[in-house]
Amino acid sequence: WTQQLFTLLEPRYKLPAASTLINSILPVYASRTVSHLKVALESSLACSLTLDMWTQHRSPFLAITVHYVTADYVLEASCMALVYMPESHTAVNIRARVDKALSAFFSPEDLQGPTSRVRALTTDTGANVKKMAMDSPWEWVACFNHLLNLVVNDAIGVRATAADDTSGAQATDDSFLFTPVIDRARALTTSFRITQALVVELRRQQEVKNTPVRALVLDVKTRWNSTYLMIDRLIDEQGNIRAALQATKLENKNLSASDWAVLDELRVVLKPFYTATVYLSAQRHATSSLVAPLVFHLSTHLSQPRYTATARQLQNRLLNSTRERLYPFMVPQSLHRQAAALDPRWKTHGVNALDGPSDISGIQSVWDAIKVILTARRLSAGPQPDTTASAPAAAAAAAGGTDTYTSAAAAAAAAAPVRPHKVPRLDEVFGDSLFVVDSEPTLSDATIDEQIAHYRRIRFSKEQIES
């Protein structure tokens, strides 16, 4: 049909054969893509990698994504490799595939030691990929969304497989409290996906009531938030489902009133995890600094008895699983805690979140860990000349007089419009508790630029650090 389409659009155009595409066109395109990515990575100081493996149509694949910041301070993400991996998925074989993919973009010297261009590797918590990452010279970062999915699976009674779970968290006897209700919801969804009469009648009911025409969603254990999405769609379409079952005389397939009530509670309790997963799945803004405050606020959110007794049982399970699976990654030396401490957003919004729950070390321990790292790096690098001071500021400092540059910036800041406060979508999860504006005034763009310039002018010598 493709050839027929092009013949209809332009009879003079001859579509290239499949062999021509594979042997001639695609290799040229791939070579150009690799060259462009090489140039982009060369202009970046460092990068990080994300590793993912899956099976599609019984064929296993490995994907490697590289994340880097451009010279214009824009966060970019590019697929570095997508390979078919039929061999055994051991740590050694995965590392061999990763090394082969990286060799096309980096020299061996760029991948080893303290000067390595690759700084971190993000994977799920599967035993094979985790071992590969831990044996590599790069820092391993567990995929937080994967951990959130395991937390939810623990709470609703979906047991993770051994390959997916290496945290040691164990489900208790009451882990299947909500499973019967979810199983019945899954059976109802399946009926509306495989029974043609129900498929047609549901669509007709949606058209008659002038509501969006959409099918029900069936959950999959390995797909993030799929249980929540299934429940959410069922509740939204509850009226149409009831009408379709009555029209087809299949009312016996419908859920009971108590089942619908339990599903409604499940949706309310699980929604924060869904919203957090969506927000943290972005590639165009940094999310590491949001993980620690998010974990702490999830704990606070789950500790508040906002719902009925049935929902509180689910809250307790979610809270226990959060502590078991997520708290081990919240130590002061973790990347997430340190990134949160260095994020300017937490200077005036949600500062208390950086202290964490009572059983997690406070922010002072995080600052101590950051100080140790920065001191070690500064001592190894030695004193560096100050090359960032602006000419007006340097001239004023040399003259020993007033910093006219700073005074001008302060005057511009007073006249500049105030930058409006932007609340991210996470306010849907926590409301105002996550980003509470304190008494400090909002800084203008000019003031922020001056502060950045000031910090860039600061350079410490080796003797200053040692003292």
Side-chain angles (χ1 to χ4, degrees), residues 105 113 121 183 226 325 334 365 398 444 446:
F105 299 90
L121 176 62
D183 287 343
S226 61
R325 292 190 179 275
S334 70
S365 300
S444 65

Side-chain angles (χ1 to χ4, degrees), residues 315-332:
Q315 283 183 285
N316 291 335
R317 289 202 51 80
L318 286 168
L319 180 60
N320 293 335
S321 185
T322 297
R323 289 170 175 167
E324 291 179 1
R325 292 190 179 275
L326 303 184
Y327 278 19
F329 297 93
M330 295 296 108
V331 295

Side-chain angles (χ1 to χ4, degrees), residues 125 142-152 167 169 273 291-292 294-296 298-299 302 318-331 334 336-337 360:
T125 57
C143 176
F144 185 71
N145 279 345
H146 176 75
L147 293 173
L148 279 180
N149 186 58
L150 294 181
V151 168
V152 174
S167 68
F273 289 86
V291 168
L294 180 60
V295 171
F296 299 155
L298 276 175
S299 301
L302 295 172
L318 286 168
L319 180 60
N320 293 335
S321 185
T322 297
R323 289 170 175 167
E324 291 179 1
R325 292 190 179 275
L326 303 184
Y327 278 19
F329 297 93
M330 295 296 108
V331 295
S334 70
H336 299 309
R337 293 293 303 280
I360 292 290

Side-chain angles (χ1 to χ4, degrees), residues 59-134:
S59 299
F61 294 95
L62 167 68
I64 304 174
T65 304
V66 59
H67 307 266
Y68 58 96
V69 180
T70 66
D72 298 327
Y73 296 99
V74 177
L75 184 62
E76 295 286 354
S78 302
C79 181
M80 178 177 285
L82 174 60
V83 296
Y84 172 64
M85 191 174 177
E87 65 268 25
S88 178
H89 294 176
T90 62
V92 175
N93 291 340
I94 297 174
R95 178 62 188 277
R97 289 285 188 173
V98 172
D99 289 342
K100 182 178 180 181
L102 294 179
S103 64
F105 299 90
F106 303 102
S107 64
E109 294 76 14
D110 289 336
L111 301 174
Q112 302 293 333
T115 60
S116 174
R117 299 282 302 282
V118 178
R119 301 295 176 84
L121 176 62
T122 301
T123 71
D124 59 29
T125 57
N128 52 352
V129 290
K130 180 179 178 180
K131 183 179 185 335
M132 185 278 298
M134 298 296 288

Side-chain angles (χ1 to χ4, degrees), residues 277-467:
T277 303
V278 172
Y279 186 81
L280 293 175
S281 298
Q283 289 187 338
R284 297 298 180 181
H285 63 262
T287 55
S288 294
S289 61
L290 189 58
V291 168
L294 180 60
V295 171
F296 299 155
H297 276 283
L298 276 175
S299 301
T300 304
H301 177 75
L302 295 172
S303 300
Q304 298 176 359
R306 301 178 177 177
Y307 312 114
T308 64
T310 304
R312 285 199 296 271
Q313 293 179 3
L314 176 60
Q315 283 183 285
N316 291 335
R317 289 202 51 80
L318 286 168
L319 180 60
N320 293 335
S321 185
T322 297
R323 289 170 175 167
E324 291 179 1
R325 292 190 179 275
L326 303 184
Y327 278 19
F329 297 93
M330 295 296 108
V331 295
Q333 295 78 15
S334 70
L335 179 145
H336 299 309
R337 293 293 303 280
Q338 296 173 9
L342 296 173
D343 192 329
R345 291 176 295 180
W346 299 110
K347 293 180 65 176
T348 57
H349 305 301
V351 177
N352 293 333
L354 299 182
D355 285 325
S358 59
D359 48 349
I360 292 290
S361 299
I363 184 62
Q364 185 58 47
S365 300
V366 180
W367 285 121
D368 293 341
I370 293 175
K371 182 178 179 180
V372 171
I373 295 175
L374 294 180
T375 301
R377 290 183 178 178
R378 180 65 67 181
L379 290 175
S380 62
Q384 299 179 3
D386 183 359
T387 59
T388 60
S390 62
T402 304
D403 190 343
T404 56
Y405 174 77
T406 304
S407 301
V418 177
R419 176 179 296 177
H421 173 59
K422 296 181 180 179
V423 180
R425 287 177 294 174
L426 283 179
D427 63 345
E428 299 177 7
V429 182
F430 308 109
D432 295 335
S433 63
L434 183 60
F435 297 95
V436 179
V437 181
D438 60 9
S439 57
E440 291 189 27
T442 305
L443 301 179
S444 65
D445 291 349
T447 303
I448 293 176
D449 293 339
E450 168 57 22
Q451 288 188 2
I452 293 174
H454 170 71
Y455 285 120
R456 286 179 175 175
R457 290 197 294 269
I458 296 177
R459 289 293 184 274
F460 294 102
S461 65
K462 180 177 180 181
E463 292 76 13
Q464 288 175 317
I465 293 178
E466 290 176 343
S467 63

Side-chain angles (χ1 to χ4, degrees), residues 33 88 122 145 175 193 200 209 231 240 266 365 375 385 402 409-410 431:
T33 303
S88 178
T122 301
N145 279 345
S175 62
R193 293 176 65 89
V200 174
K209 297 179 181 179
I231 295 172
N240 293 329
L266 279 171
S365 300
T375 301
T402 304

